[in-house]
Protein backbone atom coordinates (compact mmCIF):
# COMPACT_ATOMS: atom_id res chain seq x y z
CA UNK A 1 0.00 0.00 0.00
CA UNK A 2 1.17 3.55 -0.63
CA UNK A 3 0.04 4.81 2.77
CA UNK A 4 -3.26 6.16 1.44
CA UNK A 5 -6.48 4.83 2.93
CA UNK A 6 -8.31 2.79 0.28
CA UNK A 7 -11.99 3.53 -0.40
CA UNK A 8 -14.50 1.67 1.79
CA UNK A 9 -14.88 -1.97 0.85
CA UNK A 10 -16.67 -5.07 1.99
CA UNK A 11 -14.05 -7.79 2.42
CA UNK A 12 -15.72 -11.20 2.13
CA UNK A 13 -13.74 -14.19 3.44
CA UNK A 14 -15.12 -17.41 1.96
CA UNK A 15 -13.79 -19.95 4.45
CA UNK A 16 -13.98 -17.48 7.31
CA UNK A 17 -13.57 -20.07 10.09
CA UNK A 18 -10.57 -21.83 8.56
CA UNK A 19 -6.93 -21.94 9.54
CA UNK A 20 -5.91 -19.34 6.96
CA UNK A 21 -8.47 -16.84 8.23
CA UNK A 22 -7.48 -17.40 11.87
CA UNK A 23 -3.70 -17.32 11.44
CA UNK A 24 -3.19 -14.94 8.51
CA UNK A 25 -6.15 -12.94 7.24
CA UNK A 26 -7.73 -11.65 10.44
CA UNK A 27 -4.36 -10.69 12.02
CA UNK A 28 -3.36 -8.87 8.82
CA UNK A 29 -6.65 -6.98 8.63
CA UNK A 30 -6.40 -6.18 12.35
CA UNK A 31 -2.93 -4.71 11.81
CA UNK A 32 -4.12 -2.57 8.89
CA UNK A 33 -6.90 -1.26 11.10
CA UNK A 34 -4.48 -0.56 13.96
CA UNK A 35 -2.36 1.54 11.57
CA UNK A 36 -5.43 3.49 10.38
CA UNK A 37 -5.09 2.04 6.87
CA UNK A 38 -8.75 1.00 6.63
CA UNK A 39 -11.57 3.39 5.92
CA UNK A 40 -13.98 3.84 8.83
CA UNK A 41 -16.76 2.13 6.85
CA UNK A 42 -14.64 -0.91 5.88
CA UNK A 43 -16.42 -4.15 6.85
CA UNK A 44 -15.41 -7.82 6.90
CA UNK A 45 -17.92 -10.61 6.26
CA UNK A 46 -16.82 -14.14 7.17
CA UNK A 47 -18.67 -16.85 5.26
CA UNK A 48 -18.70 -20.49 6.40
CA UNK A 49 -21.00 -23.48 6.82
CA UNK A 50 -21.28 -23.44 10.62
CA UNK A 51 -24.98 -22.80 11.44
CA UNK A 52 -24.20 -22.34 15.15
CA UNK A 53 -22.42 -19.02 14.57
CA UNK A 54 -23.87 -15.55 14.26
CA UNK A 55 -22.19 -12.13 14.40
CA UNK A 56 -21.64 -12.29 18.16
CA UNK A 57 -20.35 -15.88 18.22
CA UNK A 58 -18.04 -15.25 15.28
CA UNK A 59 -16.61 -12.15 16.92
CA UNK A 60 -15.81 -14.21 20.03
CA UNK A 61 -14.16 -16.84 17.81
CA UNK A 62 -12.16 -14.12 16.04
CA UNK A 63 -11.06 -12.54 19.33
CA UNK A 64 -9.66 -15.89 20.45
CA UNK A 65 -7.88 -16.36 17.11
CA UNK A 66 -6.36 -12.87 17.28
CA UNK A 67 -5.23 -13.43 20.87
CA UNK A 68 -3.48 -16.64 19.80
CA UNK A 69 -1.82 -14.63 17.02
CA UNK A 70 -0.42 -12.22 19.61
CA UNK A 71 -2.79 -9.31 18.97
CA UNK A 72 -3.71 -7.35 22.06
CA UNK A 73 -7.14 -5.91 22.76
CA UNK A 74 -8.88 -6.91 19.49
CA UNK A 75 -12.34 -6.12 20.91
CA UNK A 76 -12.86 -2.83 19.06
CA UNK A 77 -11.75 -4.31 15.73
CA UNK A 78 -14.03 -7.34 16.09
CA UNK A 79 -17.13 -5.48 17.25
CA UNK A 80 -16.75 -2.71 14.68
CA UNK A 81 -15.65 -4.57 11.58
CA UNK A 82 -16.72 -8.24 11.68
CA UNK A 83 -19.91 -9.93 10.48
CA UNK A 84 -20.84 -13.54 9.75
CA UNK A 85 -22.95 -15.36 7.17
CA UNK A 86 -23.75 -19.07 7.01
CA UNK A 87 -24.05 -20.83 3.63
CA UNK A 88 -25.83 -24.13 4.10
CA UNK A 89 -28.41 -25.92 2.03
CA UNK A 90 -28.68 -25.86 -1.74
CA UNK A 91 -26.26 -23.53 -3.53
CA UNK A 92 -28.96 -21.37 -5.11
CA UNK A 93 -30.71 -20.75 -1.80
CA UNK A 94 -27.50 -20.37 0.21
CA UNK A 95 -25.88 -17.84 -2.12
CA UNK A 96 -29.13 -15.91 -2.53
CA UNK A 97 -29.10 -15.50 1.27
CA UNK A 98 -25.47 -14.42 1.07
CA UNK A 99 -26.33 -11.79 -1.54
CA UNK A 100 -29.08 -10.47 0.71
CA UNK A 101 -26.69 -10.39 3.68
CA UNK A 102 -24.11 -8.47 1.67
CA UNK A 103 -26.73 -5.94 0.61
CA UNK A 104 -27.85 -5.54 4.22
CA UNK A 105 -24.32 -4.84 5.49
CA UNK A 106 -23.58 -2.42 2.65
CA UNK A 107 -26.74 -0.46 3.37
CA UNK A 108 -26.07 -0.33 7.12
CA UNK A 109 -22.46 0.84 6.63
CA UNK A 110 -23.25 3.09 3.63
CA UNK A 111 -20.78 1.18 1.47
CA UNK A 112 -20.62 2.05 -2.26
CA UNK A 113 -20.48 -1.56 -3.52
CA UNK A 114 -16.71 -2.14 -3.68
CA UNK A 115 -16.19 -5.81 -2.77
CA UNK A 116 -13.24 -8.15 -2.35
CA UNK A 117 -13.99 -11.88 -2.25
CA UNK A 118 -11.11 -13.82 -0.70
CA UNK A 119 -11.34 -17.54 -1.49
CA UNK A 120 -9.70 -19.17 1.55
CA UNK A 121 -11.03 -22.51 0.35
CA UNK A 122 -9.80 -25.90 -0.88
CA UNK A 123 -8.74 -25.65 -4.55
CA UNK A 124 -11.59 -27.87 -5.72
CA UNK A 125 -14.09 -25.32 -4.43
CA UNK A 126 -12.74 -22.32 -6.36
CA UNK A 127 -14.61 -22.82 -9.62
CA UNK A 128 -17.98 -23.92 -8.18
CA UNK A 129 -17.92 -21.11 -5.60
CA UNK A 130 -17.29 -18.42 -8.22
CA UNK A 131 -20.05 -19.95 -10.34
CA UNK A 132 -22.46 -19.81 -7.40
CA UNK A 133 -21.50 -16.21 -6.67
CA UNK A 134 -22.08 -15.33 -10.32
CA UNK A 135 -25.51 -17.01 -10.28
CA UNK A 136 -26.39 -14.88 -7.24
CA UNK A 137 -25.36 -11.71 -9.08
CA UNK A 138 -22.29 -11.10 -6.92
CA UNK A 139 -19.51 -11.05 -9.54
CA UNK A 140 -20.48 -7.54 -10.59
CA UNK A 141 -21.95 -4.59 -8.80
CA UNK A 142 -22.16 -0.85 -8.46
CA UNK A 143 -18.49 -0.70 -7.43
CA UNK A 144 -15.35 -2.69 -8.20
CA UNK A 145 -15.52 -6.42 -7.50
CA UNK A 146 -12.27 -8.35 -7.07
CA UNK A 147 -11.49 -12.00 -6.34
CA UNK A 148 -8.41 -13.15 -4.46
CA UNK A 149 -7.57 -16.81 -5.07
CA UNK A 150 -5.24 -18.60 -2.68
CA UNK A 151 -2.73 -21.22 -3.62
CA UNK A 152 -2.53 -23.98 -4.73
CA UNK A 153 -3.96 -23.01 -8.10
CA UNK A 154 -4.76 -26.48 -9.43
CA UNK A 155 -2.94 -29.75 -8.77
CA UNK A 156 -0.85 -29.70 -11.96
CA UNK A 157 -0.58 -27.80 -15.24
CA UNK A 158 -3.65 -29.44 -16.76
CA UNK A 159 -5.91 -28.70 -13.79
CA UNK A 160 -4.51 -25.15 -13.48
CA UNK A 161 -5.38 -24.44 -17.13
CA UNK A 162 -8.85 -25.93 -16.62
CA UNK A 163 -9.41 -23.81 -13.50
CA UNK A 164 -8.30 -20.70 -15.33
CA UNK A 165 -10.83 -21.36 -18.09
CA UNK A 166 -13.59 -21.96 -15.54
CA UNK A 167 -12.80 -18.70 -13.76
CA UNK A 168 -12.84 -16.79 -17.03
CA UNK A 169 -16.34 -18.10 -17.70
CA UNK A 170 -17.48 -15.75 -14.94
CA UNK A 171 -14.79 -13.12 -14.37
CA UNK A 172 -12.63 -10.72 -16.34
CA UNK A 173 -8.90 -11.19 -15.86
CA UNK A 174 -8.66 -7.73 -14.25
CA UNK A 175 -10.89 -8.99 -11.44
CA UNK A 176 -8.65 -11.92 -10.51
CA UNK A 177 -5.67 -11.88 -8.15
CA UNK A 178 -3.85 -15.19 -7.72
CA UNK A 179 -1.73 -14.77 -4.63
CA UNK A 180 0.81 -16.43 -2.40
CA UNK A 181 0.35 -15.06 1.12
CA UNK A 182 3.96 -16.04 1.94
CA UNK A 183 5.14 -13.05 -0.06
CA UNK A 184 3.64 -10.81 2.61
CA UNK A 185 6.14 -11.96 5.23
CA UNK A 186 8.51 -9.18 6.21
CA UNK A 187 11.63 -11.28 5.66
CA UNK A 188 10.48 -12.26 2.17
CA UNK A 189 9.51 -8.69 1.30
CA UNK A 190 12.96 -7.53 2.36
CA UNK A 191 14.82 -9.99 0.12
CA UNK A 192 14.88 -7.72 -2.93
CA UNK A 193 15.81 -4.70 -0.82
CA UNK A 194 18.60 -6.70 0.81
CA UNK A 195 19.90 -7.85 -2.55
CA UNK A 196 19.47 -4.87 -4.83
CA UNK A 197 19.54 -2.00 -2.34
CA UNK A 198 23.01 -2.96 -1.05
CA UNK A 199 25.52 -2.80 -3.90
CA UNK A 200 28.17 -4.45 -1.75
CA UNK A 201 26.43 -7.77 -2.28
CA UNK A 202 26.32 -7.72 -6.08
CA UNK A 203 29.99 -8.74 -6.44
CA UNK A 204 29.49 -11.53 -3.90
CA UNK A 205 26.13 -12.91 -5.08
CA UNK A 206 27.42 -15.49 -7.58
CA UNK A 207 29.19 -18.81 -8.13
CA UNK A 208 32.62 -17.35 -7.37
CA UNK A 209 31.74 -16.56 -3.75
CA UNK A 210 28.89 -18.92 -2.84
CA UNK A 211 29.36 -22.67 -2.41
CA UNK A 212 25.67 -23.56 -2.02
CA UNK A 213 22.33 -22.01 -1.10
CA UNK A 214 19.99 -23.57 1.47
CA UNK A 215 16.35 -22.48 1.76
CA UNK A 216 14.33 -24.11 4.52
CA UNK A 217 10.67 -23.57 5.40
CA UNK A 218 10.19 -25.42 8.69
CA UNK A 219 6.97 -25.65 10.69
CA UNK A 220 7.19 -26.81 14.30
CA UNK A 221 3.53 -27.84 14.45
CA UNK A 222 1.97 -30.92 12.89
CA UNK A 223 -0.96 -30.69 10.52
CA UNK A 224 -3.43 -30.59 13.43
CA UNK A 225 -6.95 -29.80 12.23
CA UNK A 226 -5.69 -29.21 8.67
CA UNK A 227 -5.41 -32.92 7.92
CA UNK A 228 -8.41 -33.08 5.59
CA UNK A 229 -6.78 -30.32 3.51
CA UNK A 230 -3.26 -31.70 3.86
CA UNK A 231 -4.25 -35.16 2.61
CA UNK A 232 -5.12 -33.56 -0.75
CA UNK A 233 -1.99 -31.43 -0.99
CA UNK A 234 1.04 -32.71 0.91
CA UNK A 235 4.25 -30.75 1.43
CA UNK A 236 4.93 -30.26 -2.28
CA UNK A 237 1.64 -28.60 -3.16
CA UNK A 238 1.32 -26.85 0.20
CA UNK A 239 4.78 -25.26 0.29
CA UNK A 240 7.17 -26.23 -2.52
CA UNK A 241 5.34 -25.24 -5.70
CA UNK A 242 4.50 -21.82 -4.28
CA UNK A 243 6.32 -20.55 -1.16
CA UNK A 244 9.68 -22.28 -1.69
CA UNK A 245 9.66 -21.61 -5.41
CA UNK A 246 9.04 -17.91 -4.78
CA UNK A 247 11.98 -17.80 -2.34
CA UNK A 248 14.15 -19.60 -4.87
CA UNK A 249 13.35 -17.10 -7.63
CA UNK A 250 13.80 -14.06 -5.36
CA UNK A 251 17.21 -15.38 -4.32
CA UNK A 252 18.43 -16.35 -7.79
CA UNK A 253 16.86 -13.71 -10.07
CA UNK A 254 18.79 -10.99 -11.88
CA UNK A 255 18.18 -7.30 -11.34
CA UNK A 256 14.82 -6.45 -12.96
CA UNK A 257 14.63 -3.63 -15.50
CA UNK A 258 12.15 -1.90 -13.20
CA UNK A 259 10.64 -2.78 -9.84
CA UNK A 260 7.14 -3.31 -11.16
CA UNK A 261 5.09 -6.50 -11.32
CA UNK A 262 5.77 -7.29 -14.99
CA UNK A 263 9.55 -6.80 -14.78
CA UNK A 264 9.94 -8.79 -11.56
CA UNK A 265 7.79 -11.60 -12.97
CA UNK A 266 9.98 -11.70 -16.09
CA UNK A 267 13.16 -12.22 -14.05
CA UNK A 268 11.50 -14.85 -11.83
CA UNK A 269 10.34 -16.75 -14.91
CA UNK A 270 13.88 -16.78 -16.31
CA UNK A 271 15.06 -18.53 -13.14
CA UNK A 272 12.36 -21.19 -13.43
CA UNK A 273 13.21 -21.78 -17.09
CA UNK A 274 16.88 -22.30 -16.14
CA UNK A 275 16.26 -25.07 -13.58
CA UNK A 276 17.85 -28.34 -14.71
CA UNK A 277 15.59 -31.42 -14.80
CA UNK A 278 15.41 -33.25 -11.46
CA UNK A 279 16.24 -36.93 -11.10
CA UNK A 280 14.96 -39.29 -8.35
CA UNK A 281 18.36 -38.98 -6.65
CA UNK A 282 17.78 -35.23 -6.25
CA UNK A 283 14.70 -35.50 -3.99
CA UNK A 284 13.72 -36.88 -0.59
CA UNK A 285 10.20 -37.53 0.69
CA UNK A 286 9.38 -38.07 4.36
CA UNK A 287 6.63 -38.09 6.96
CA UNK A 288 6.71 -37.31 10.68
CA UNK A 289 6.06 -40.06 13.18
CA UNK A 290 4.97 -39.97 16.83
CA UNK A 291 7.24 -38.20 19.30
CA UNK A 292 7.43 -35.47 21.86
CA UNK A 293 5.57 -33.10 19.58
CA UNK A 294 2.48 -35.33 19.51
CA UNK A 295 1.05 -38.13 17.36
CA UNK A 296 2.52 -39.17 14.04
CA UNK A 297 0.91 -38.09 10.81
CA UNK A 298 -0.96 -41.37 10.36
CA UNK A 299 -2.49 -40.95 13.82
CA UNK A 300 -3.80 -37.42 13.14
CA UNK A 301 -7.59 -37.00 12.75
CA UNK A 302 -8.92 -37.31 9.17
CA UNK A 303 -5.70 -38.97 7.88
CA UNK A 304 -6.20 -42.24 5.99
CA UNK A 305 -4.36 -45.13 7.73
CA UNK A 306 -2.75 -46.09 4.42
CA UNK A 307 -1.89 -42.49 3.44
CA UNK A 308 1.26 -41.90 1.40
CA UNK A 309 1.06 -38.09 1.71
CA UNK A 310 4.45 -36.52 2.34
CA UNK A 311 4.91 -34.04 5.21
CA UNK A 312 8.62 -33.49 4.44
CA UNK A 313 10.30 -32.77 1.14
CA UNK A 314 13.86 -31.88 0.20
CA UNK A 315 15.47 -31.37 -3.19
CA UNK A 316 18.72 -30.35 -4.79
CA UNK A 317 18.10 -27.88 -7.60
CA UNK A 318 20.66 -26.72 -10.16
CA UNK A 319 20.17 -23.44 -12.03
CA UNK A 320 21.94 -23.31 -15.39
CA UNK A 321 22.82 -19.62 -15.57
CA UNK A 322 26.17 -17.85 -15.56
CA UNK A 323 25.60 -16.57 -12.02
CA UNK A 324 24.66 -19.92 -10.45
CA UNK A 325 26.25 -22.61 -12.61
CA UNK A 326 27.71 -25.26 -10.31
CA UNK A 327 26.04 -23.87 -7.17
CA UNK A 328 23.44 -26.30 -5.78
CA UNK A 329 20.28 -24.94 -4.18
CA UNK A 330 18.98 -27.16 -1.37
CA UNK A 331 15.26 -26.70 -0.75
CA UNK A 332 13.60 -28.21 2.33
CA UNK A 333 10.23 -28.02 4.00
CA UNK A 334 8.31 -30.03 6.55
CA UNK A 335 5.85 -30.01 9.40
CA UNK A 336 6.74 -31.03 12.97
CA UNK A 337 10.36 -29.95 12.50
CA UNK A 338 12.54 -28.38 15.16
Amino acid sequence: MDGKTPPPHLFVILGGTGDLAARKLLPALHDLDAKDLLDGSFRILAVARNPDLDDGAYRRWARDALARAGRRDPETFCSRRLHYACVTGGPAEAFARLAARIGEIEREASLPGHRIFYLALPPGAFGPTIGNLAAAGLTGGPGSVRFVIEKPFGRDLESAVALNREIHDWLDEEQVFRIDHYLGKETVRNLMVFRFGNTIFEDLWNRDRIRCVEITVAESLGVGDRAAFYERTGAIRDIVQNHLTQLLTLTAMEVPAAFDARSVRHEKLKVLQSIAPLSPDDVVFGRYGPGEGGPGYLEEPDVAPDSVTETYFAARVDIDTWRWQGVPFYLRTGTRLS
Side-chain angles (χ1 to χ4, degrees):
M1 304 180 88
D2 59 8
K4 297 180 181 178
T5 302
H9 277 69
L10 178 64
F11 192 94
V12 183
I13 305 175
L14 294 144
T17 57
D19 181 74
L20 181 62
R23 292 203 301 150
K24 303 293 184 183
L25 300 182
L26 289 176
L29 290 165
H30 173 276
D31 293 349
L32 290 175
D33 189 44
K35 296 175 181 178
D36 295 324
L37 291 174
L38 297 181
D39 181 90
S41 300
F42 190 98
R43 294 293 185 270
I44 301 163
L45 175 62
V47 180
R49 294 180 177 177
N50 188 341
D52 297 326
L53 294 178
D54 56 15
D55 282 359
Y58 183 77
R59 288 164 184 162
R60 291 191 292 273
W61 179 91
R63 283 197 299 268
D64 292 341
L66 288 166
R68 290 193 300 272
R71 303 313 189 265
R72 297 180 180 179
D73 191 25
E75 175 63 37
T76 301
F77 168 77
C78 293
S79 60
R80 182 185 181 192
R81 304 285 191 186
L82 298 187
H83 303 271
Y84 178 77
C86 176
V87 285
T88 55
E93 177 188 353
F95 282 83
R97 289 199 308 271
L98 176 60
R101 181 75 168 120
I102 287 174
E104 176 187 357
I105 294 171
E106 289 180 336
R107 286 191 298 272
E108 290 177 355
S110 299
L111 295 174
H114 298 317
R115 301 165 187 164
I116 300 172
F117 290 93
Y118 197 113
L119 276 66
L121 299 169
F126 292 161
T129 299
I130 292 174
N132 289 326
L133 290 169
L138 291 171
T139 52
S144 64
V145 181
R146 301 288 185 263
F147 286 77
V148 182
I149 301 178
E150 258 289 348
K151 61 84 186 173
F153 195 87
R155 292 182 57 83
D156 49 26
L157 177 60
E158 182 179 0
S159 60
V161 170
L163 176 58
N164 221 36
R165 289 173 178 160
E166 187 174 8
I167 289 171
H168 286 156
D169 286 341
W170 308 109
L171 302 175
D172 295 329
E173 177 60 27
E174 291 73 19
Q175 293 180 270
V176 182
F177 293 81
R178 304 163 190 82
I179 73 157
D180 180 350
H181 62 257
Y182 209 80
L183 294 179
K185 287 182 176 289
E186 187 173 1
T187 303
V188 178
R189 289 164 55 196
N190 287 341
L191 264 176
M192 287 209 300
V193 176
F194 176 79
R195 280 200 59 190
F196 305 128
N198 295 280
T199 56
I200 187 175
F201 291 116
E202 184 59 27
D203 289 338
L204 306 176
W205 207 269
N206 59 57
R207 62 185 182 180
D208 295 329
R209 297 291 187 269
I210 297 176
R211 184 178 63 184
C212 68
V213 177
E214 299 184 33
I215 305 176
T216 302
V217 176
E219 295 184 274
S220 59
L221 300 176
V223 297
D225 58 6
R226 295 190 302 151
F229 160 78
Y230 209 88
E231 275 286 85
R232 297 191 297 270
T233 56
I236 291 179
R237 291 189 176 94
D238 189 36
I239 301 292
V240 178
Q241 61 90 29
N242 38 75
H243 304 334
L244 261 179
T245 301
Q246 290 283 2
L247 291 173
L248 171 66
T249 56
L250 286 169
T251 303
M253 65 187 280
E254 297 297 327
V255 182
F259 287 96
D260 56 42
R262 186 180 298 275
S263 299
V264 172
R265 176 189 178 277
H266 178 68
E267 293 302 332
K268 285 182 174 181
L269 182 59
K270 285 165 63 177
V271 174
L272 297 178
Q273 291 171 332
S274 301
I275 293 176
L278 298 180
S279 75
D281 292 336
D282 294 325
V283 299
V284 175
F285 295 86
R287 183 171 60 213
Y288 67 83
E292 295 180 2
Y297 181 73
L298 293 180
E299 288 75 49
E300 297 281 15
D302 298 323
V303 173
D306 59 348
S307 171
V308 294
T309 301
E310 78 285 351
T311 68
Y312 175 87
F313 177 82
R316 171 188 166 130
V317 173
D318 293 299
I319 300 174
D320 291 335
T321 64
W322 174 89
R323 183 183 295 272
W324 297 115
Q325 193 171 45
V327 178
F329 282 69
Y330 296 106
L331 310 182
R332 304 185 190 92
T333 187
T335 54
R336 191 69 64 71
L337 292 179
S338 60

